[in-house]
Amino acid sequence: MEYFSDLLTREMEQAFERAGYDGALGKVTVSNRPDLCEYQCNGAMAGAKQYHKAPFMIAEDVAAQLKDSAVFSSAEAVKPGFLNLKVSEGLIQKYVGEMAEDPRFGSPLPEHPKTVILDYGGPNIAKPLHVGHLRSAVIGESIKRIVKWHGDRAIGDIHLGDWGLQMGLVITELKKRQPDLVYFDPDYTGEYPEEAPFTVSELEEIYPFASGRSKEDPEYYKEALENTHLLQEGNRGYRALWNKIVAVSTADMKRNYERLNVSFDLWYGEASVHDRIPGMVKDLKEKGYAYESDGALIVDVAEETDAKEVPPCMILKSDGASLYTTTDLATILQREEDFAPDEIIYITDKRQELHFIQVFRCARKCGLIRPETELRHIGFGTVNGKDGHALKTREGGVMRLETLLDDIDAAMLEKIRSNEEIGEEEADRTAKQVGLAAVKYGDLSNQASKDYIFDMDRFTSFEGDTGPYLLYTIVRIRSILQKYAAAGQGKDASQCRICAPGDEAEKALMLDLCGFSQMMDDAYRDLAPNRICAFIYRVANDFNSFYHGTKILTEPDEAKKEGYIALLSLCERMLSACIDVLGFSAPARM
Ligand code: ARG
């Protein structure tokens, strides 16, 4: 279907032409004075110079052409030269009616779907997930779903931090604590045991311990570097132990991501491209892109137009070790080979922006990627506490993701328990579902690049711009639809037909829905889930105003009642589709 606003613009362009003006002046936009009109056109203002005429006169000429318009029920010229517009009820009925018939609400699928890789999550093996990982998971999952909704092939890759010094540190500490483990016996040639020699909580204690010690003890640090090197060189015992560390750690991660309703198509990590690095390095050297500087291997990526200095991209350290940059470059090679993607999108903390500028430039310069492949980095801000500083535990430590989710679930459970109709088990389940919406909506309703304040009281409120408010609205609509079905006197909701809006509140709601496909395309173009949040919040508000002013189930006029039911059913399906794209769902009741 054509965008609703394009349909209005087309009508306006023709009116400008019929009045003897340039049709291109007829752009129609949503009114910024909703108290006066629904849409507006400022073309007469823009045309004044061109036609040496007062804008008001132009606006009047155009308005005269719209007297019998089937699109605008009123087009009024107002000083100094605006056109204030109201949309015809018949057009709205037709447009919303068509949306209601289409499972995609009038959004066409692309003729040439793209292949898009989404790199998000990015947790590090052996380190517990902390609140910083929340945003990558929540935003990344939603962007993946936006891309999928649009009709592209979306592939999510978690890109584990599973290589490098952090693994060497864990191995070093394990060796100190359990030197007799068979993994450390260089003469051992048999099979390694099935069972890991540690639990996930032990692992999570070991890493920070080892990391702290390495900062104080240079000998220990040196040992960790050596062990990292041995691991990367392929030491058999170390590799076997590494496999165990990865297995134990990812099992725990999977549990956490499942709880967040986040899933990945690929569980690749930095380690999975290790074997590509020597070939890549050789190639970069041979082609003359990479050269040695102070013992390190680097590629220049600065550009003349850089306002801030962009340092060279470091490929190998002077000791020959690879870096974060190196694995990211090799991963680009791997993705090109496996999927030839049209686009790769990275979702990380915005403090990694420079890293991605370097990686993207280096990949292009050295031809690691086809010129037509787009590379995009979505950098997000920090999750802050109410004090405006990064969210911490009460003791001042890093906030674990699990703790945060537990806290929100507990707060939600308290509220849901006040509904006495809901039993213990359902309350538990519902609290988790609504809690997740609270957390995700609290994050996604902000522009990703901005920091936001994690405000437990606000996020879990059933009122205002919150996840629970939206779920509550959906639950309310469902309950009316259920009551209608249970009464069993009318048609099935799917047989009910949309009517023309009967009052201002109904019209406002229907006009909101008309903006759906354009909003989804905007969200896709900008990779901005916050646009979907703003849309559903407006729909929910306008629905609730409509609901409070309208007797729906007791409406005596059967055709009118069926019109309401058709509209409610469309609202319910559209809101449900939107929250699914945001990555959460609504309970049966709350
Ligand atoms: N593991 C990284 C971190 O914790 C994030 C990885 C993001 N993805 C990437 N391809 N670099 O900061």
Side-chain angles (χ1 to χ4, degrees):
M1 279 166 75
E2 189 179 9
Y3 285 163
F4 191 68
S5 66
D6 284 354
L7 204 150
L8 305 184
T9 294
R10 204 151 43 81
E11 174 80 355
M12 187 55 80
E13 285 171 354
Q14 285 164 8
F16 267 84
E17 272 166 24
R18 281 200 304 274
Y21 303 105
D22 183 0
L25 295 168
K27 185 156 177 54
V28 173
T29 54
V30 173
S31 162
N32 46 29
R33 285 292 303 274
D35 51 325
L36 297 180
C37 57
E38 293 151 3
Y39 284 85
Q40 67 185 53
C41 171
N42 304 343
M45 305 290 288
K49 231 190 188 162
Q50 190 178 340
Y51 293 103
H52 302 290
K53 223 174 181 178
F56 183 67
M57 285 169 70
I58 301 177
E60 273 195 313
D61 291 345
V62 175
Q65 296 295 327
L66 290 166
K67 280 220 156 51
D68 305 312
S69 167
V71 170
F72 298 112
S73 59
S74 97
E76 202 193 339
V78 293
K79 294 224 157 107
F82 298 114
L83 280 155
N84 284 356
L85 307 166
K86 287 197 170 150
V87 182
S88 108
E89 278 71 18
L91 176 77
I92 296 176
Q93 177 184 12
K94 188 163 164 282
Y95 195 88
V96 176
E98 277 174 39
M99 287 201 309
E101 298 296 305
D102 179 359
R104 289 180 55 81
F105 318 113
S107 279
L109 285 166
E111 235 172 276
H112 305 288
K114 292 181 180 175
T115 296
V116 181
I117 295 180
L118 295 113
D119 178 317
Y120 66 104
N124 299 312
I125 293 290
K127 298 190 206 174
L129 291 174
H130 61 77
V131 55
H133 291 109
L134 177 70
R135 296 207 77 186
S136 183
V138 168
I139 299 169
E141 180 71 21
S142 176
I143 291 181
K144 181 181 74 184
R145 288 165 183 241
I146 290 174
V147 169
K148 262 195 189 150
W149 164 272
H150 184 263
D152 290 341
R153 176 183 181 212
I155 303 161
D157 183 1
I158 190 167
H159 199 78
L160 292 167
D162 59 359
W163 212 226
L165 180 62
Q166 115 221 22
M167 305 308 292
L169 282 165
V170 173
I171 293 175
T172 304
E173 184 56 29
L174 277 169
K175 200 170 179 175
K176 297 236 179 286
R177 293 187 190 186
Q178 305 182 57
D180 298 334
L181 284 178
V182 53
Y183 302 94
F184 302 124
D185 176 357
D187 301 325
Y188 185 74
T189 53
E191 294 259 327
Y192 288 101
E194 191 80 26
E195 188 120 350
F198 40 75
T199 65
V200 70
S201 5
E202 281 163 352
L203 208 51
E204 287 178 353
E205 179 267 319
I206 287 176
Y207 172 75
F209 180 88
S211 166
R213 174 125 186 234
S214 73
K215 286 183 187 119
E216 286 156 15
D217 181 346
E219 268 310 303
Y220 190 93
Y221 179 71
K222 222 178 106 211
E223 221 175 299
L225 277 182
E226 271 163 27
N227 284 332
T228 308
H229 201 67
L230 285 172
L231 168 72
Q232 300 193 343
E233 295 281 276
N235 176 300
R236 190 170 164 269
Y238 284 14
R239 284 286 177 109
L241 189 57
W242 176 87
N243 273 321
K244 295 282 181 280
I245 302 173
V246 172
V248 167
S249 194
T250 51
D252 186 58
M253 282 173 186
K254 282 191 175 147
R255 205 171 43 75
N256 271 292
Y257 284 116
E258 223 162 84
R259 181 166 177 188
L260 283 172
N261 196 20
V262 166
S263 67
F264 301 93
D265 304 289
L266 305 173
W267 280 74
Y268 292 170
E270 297 171 355
S272 62
V273 295
H274 177 73
D275 295 342
R276 287 174 184 271
I277 291 174
M280 180 181 81
V281 169
K282 186 163 164 264
D283 192 54
L284 295 188
K285 274 200 216 157
E286 277 173 8
K287 294 206 173 114
Y289 295 121
Y291 64 92
E292 261 180 48
S293 165
D294 288 336
L297 191 69
I298 61 172
V299 174
D300 288 324
V301 292
E303 285 172 10
E304 260 175 45
T305 50
D306 289 338
K308 257 200 244 149
E309 194 203 332
V310 179
C313 196
M314 201 189 284
I315 310 290
L316 293 178
K317 286 200 276 195
S318 49
D319 64 359
S322 57
L323 299 103
Y324 188 42
T325 328
T326 326
T327 47
D328 261 331
L329 288 168
T331 304
I332 289 180
L333 277 178
Q334 179 193 45
R335 290 172 177 164
E336 278 286 289
E337 207 173 292
D338 291 355
F339 302 104
D342 297 285
E343 221 172 288
I344 309 176
I345 302 170
Y346 299 79
I347 295 115
T348 77
D349 191 306
K350 70 178 172 202
R351 285 169 288 194
Q352 295 195 20
E353 192 184 333
L354 181 60
H355 164 76
F356 284 104
I357 291 177
Q358 291 174 307
V359 168
F360 293 176
R361 284 187 184 178
C362 185
R364 290 232 178 274
K365 178 174 178 179
C366 306
L368 302 179
I369 196 152
R370 289 161 308 139
E372 60 271 27
T373 308
E374 241 191 281
L375 297 168
R376 290 167 87 173
H377 174 229
I378 305 287
F380 52 78
T382 312
V383 185
N384 287 331
K386 274 187 174 172
D387 59 0
H389 296 292
L391 194 65
K392 292 259 154 59
T393 60
R394 231 171 264 145
E395 293 73 37
V398 183
M399 177 73 96
R400 289 181 65 147
L401 186 55
E402 267 191 300
T403 316
L404 182 105
L405 295 177
D406 288 346
D407 287 355
I408 253 234
D409 287 356
M412 251 12 279
L413 186 60
E414 196 131 316
K415 295 198 176 191
I416 282 160
R417 271 209 189 113
S418 62
N419 181 342
E420 281 153 17
E421 283 171 33
I422 297 180
E424 264 313 292
E425 196 197 328
E426 185 184 342
D428 241 17
R429 210 171 348 108
T430 305
K432 291 205 171 80
Q433 203 172 359
V434 183
L436 186 60
V439 172
K440 286 196 166 186
Y441 191 87
D443 185 322
L444 294 171
S445 53
N446 302 285
Q447 210 178 308
S449 60
K450 300 225 164 90
D451 299 348
Y452 76 88
I453 291 179
F454 192 94
D455 183 341
M456 177 83 91
D457 295 332
R458 190 168 78 74
F459 286 7
T460 58
S461 168
F462 282 42
E463 276 152 47
D465 192 4
T466 71
Y469 167 69
L470 287 155
L471 296 193
Y472 194 76
T473 305
I474 295 175
V475 167
R476 168 177 276 166
I477 301 176
R478 286 185 186 164
S479 130
I480 303 170
L481 290 171
Q482 272 158 14
K483 281 192 190 130
Y484 177 79
Q489 290 148 340
K491 293 180 180 153
D492 181 79
S494 66
Q495 296 169 302
C496 292
R497 294 287 160 264
I498 296 283
C499 290
D503 64 16
E504 287 303 314
E506 192 178 7
K507 191 176 186 187
L509 173 60
M510 289 171 89
L511 281 175
D512 290 343
L513 303 186
C514 289
F516 174 80
S517 40
Q518 187 165 12
M519 176 282 294
M520 276 306 222
D521 284 350
D522 290 346
Y524 172 78
R525 184 198 56 221
D526 300 340
L527 303 177
N530 60 305
R531 286 180 175 274
I532 302 176
C533 294
F535 175 83
I536 58 178
Y537 182 51
R538 190 165 55 243
V539 170
N541 279 336
D542 284 338
F543 170 79
N544 284 312
S545 306
F546 162 71
Y547 168 81
H548 287 301
T550 314
K551 298 213 167 9
I552 296 172
L553 292 173
T554 53
E555 168 59 48
D557 180 339
E558 208 44 48
K560 224 170 154 183
K561 179 152 96 179
E562 284 174 16
Y564 291 155
I565 294 302
L567 180 58
L568 260 63
S569 155
L570 174 61
C571 281
E572 190 276 329
R573 284 176 285 140
M574 200 182 268
L575 289 174
S576 299
C578 286
I579 63 170
D580 184 58
V581 171
L582 295 175
F584 55 89
S585 60
R589 51 185 185 169
M590 57 193 274

